[in-house]
Amino acid sequence: MNARLQFAARIFLAALFLYAGLPKILAPHDFALVVFRFHLLPDDLINTVALLLPWLEIFAALALLLPAWRRAGMLWLVIMLGIATAALAISLARRLDIDCGCFTLQPGRSHIGWWSLARNTALIALTLWAGWSKPARAP
Amino acid sequence: MKALLPFLFRMSAILLLALVCNVSVNLLRHTPLPLRGEWSKHVEQRALQAGLKLVGIGTMQHAVASGAARVLDARPPADFRAGHLPGAQSLPFDAASELLTSMQIELPREQPIITCCARNDCDEGLELALFLRRTGYTNVTLFAGGLAEWRASGGTVEVER
């Protein structure tokens, strides 16, 4: 039962991160602006991070579906979610009036707030739980 | 240790795949995103360096809906007439001094003001905000995304006929 739930959670997470990554790949200029507006990275790193992050998100999500690659995918997702959550917390503390850009790049649809912080924390917990299970072995 | 090596290999492989895809797909784009952007010259960076507060689309939506702040559009009048944020007032940056001193536009000093222009690569909104602050307005903020971000968020636009 637990294994089935974990499997369902992995499918959900993979779909979620594919859904989150694709718009960022399709509109890298918009995503770079989102990254810039957090004012946390040196200027020289903003575009590089904006280009790399969505691909990492997508490949980590796909890895979550492959038994042998599951934990590697999980760890990448947890690292990215952890960094994003820290960035959100810092921005909330600095009272920045910005969009999260987490799942959509459309302006005004993802304003940062305590809700986005709670959602990310829940996603970290779910990713850890779903990705930690041991890969099934052949009898 | 035995299990760690394959794990590290898989972590690195995911990173490598992401690197290869991002570089190759970016190169194939019509307008690739340069690896190093000129963000230090970006209007929002200049505004922050000047100590100006920025407002985002959420605050802008609230300000337009509630009328909590005066929205001043710093673009030329023709651009303003072609489409502007609901309730916004035209105050072209290059004519601001003249319009304010001749009292054609009445603007109390302590009034919350949000300036804007076309999009986040124009600087008339920033220049107008800095001008207003220099001339004694105490509550001036900048909506750097301008009309383009307003439109992208699904906001309606008023057209002067």
Side-chain angles (χ1 to χ4, degrees):
Chain A
M1 183 62 184
N2 210 25
R4 281 185 186 176
L5 279 175
Q6 282 174 312
F7 178 70
R10 284 195 296 275
I11 301 249
F12 165 75
L13 287 167
L16 185 73
F17 285 105
L18 287 174
Y19 169 77
L22 280 174
K24 297 169 192 160
I25 288 174
L26 294 174
H29 293 81
D30 292 348
F31 184 52
L33 183 63
V34 168
V35 175
F36 161 71
R37 282 179 171 168
F38 279 87
H39 299 289
L40 287 171
L41 285 175
D43 289 355
D44 286 348
L45 280 182
I46 291 170
N47 287 8
T48 309
V49 167
L51 284 168
L52 179 65
L53 214 63
W55 284 105
L56 203 50
E57 213 169 9
I58 280 179
F59 283 115
L62 292 174
L64 213 52
L65 299 175
L66 305 171
W69 291 70
R70 182 182 304 158
R71 286 189 178 175
M74 175 205 69
L75 191 58
W76 271 123
L77 289 176
V78 168
I79 290 170
M80 285 187 285
L81 279 166
I83 293 171
T85 309
L88 280 171
I90 293 168
S91 304
L92 281 170
R94 290 158 73 191
R95 295 175 186 275
L96 292 187
D97 184 8
I98 55 173
D99 279 343
C100 166
C102 305
F103 296 100
T104 174
L105 294 178
Q106 193 176 359
R109 291 288 167 95
S110 61
H111 198 257
I112 63 165
W114 296 108
W115 145 247
S116 31
L117 210 58
R119 179 202 55 206
N120 274 23
T121 311
L123 280 174
I124 290 174
L126 184 66
T127 309
L128 279 169
W129 176 72
W132 194 251
S133 61
K134 279 191 175 174
R137 288 178 190 280
Chain B
M1 186 66 190
K2 218 175 167 184
L4 190 65
L5 278 177
F7 177 73
L8 288 177
F9 165 77
R10 287 176 189 126
M11 291 278 295
S12 316
I14 291 172
L15 179 63
L16 192 68
L17 265 172
L19 269 169
V20 169
C21 283
N22 108 56
V23 170
S24 34
V25 169
N26 193 42
L27 285 175
L28 292 172
R29 285 182 211 281
H30 185 60
T31 47
L33 183 69
L35 283 183
R36 291 175 68 178
E38 300 231 341
W39 292 102
S40 60
K41 292 176 188 162
H42 193 278
V43 67
E44 294 181 32
Q45 192 77 329
R46 286 164 53 204
L48 290 172
Q49 279 163 0
L52 204 63
K53 191 168 179 265
L54 297 168
V55 296
I57 184 74
T59 303
M60 203 63 215
Q61 286 164 337
H62 173 72
V64 167
S66 66
R70 279 279 275 282
V71 180
L72 298 179
D73 191 321
R75 295 174 301 153
D79 293 351
F80 178 82
R81 285 193 295 274
H84 57 83
L85 272 76
Q89 191 168 8
S90 175
L91 184 56
F93 162 65
D94 48 8
S97 175
E98 189 189 324
L99 288 169
L100 287 170
T101 49
S102 64
M103 300 295 280
Q104 288 180 50
I105 290 180
E106 203 178 312
L107 206 55
R109 300 265 169 194
E110 52 300 324
Q111 163 111 50
I113 295 167
I114 303 175
T115 66
C116 65
C117 48
R119 62 187 77 80
N120 60 37
D121 60 358
C122 65
D123 58 4
E124 296 118 305
L126 169 65
E127 298 298 344
L128 177 63
L130 294 177
F131 166 77
L132 289 171
R133 206 177 58 172
R134 276 198 306 274
T135 47
Y137 291 89
T138 52
N139 197 352
V140 187
T141 50
L142 171 69
F143 172 49
L147 189 66
E149 192 165 324
W150 177 260
R151 277 196 165 121
S153 74
T156 55
V157 168
E158 279 178 3
V159 179
E160 309 268 313
R161 300 198 185 274

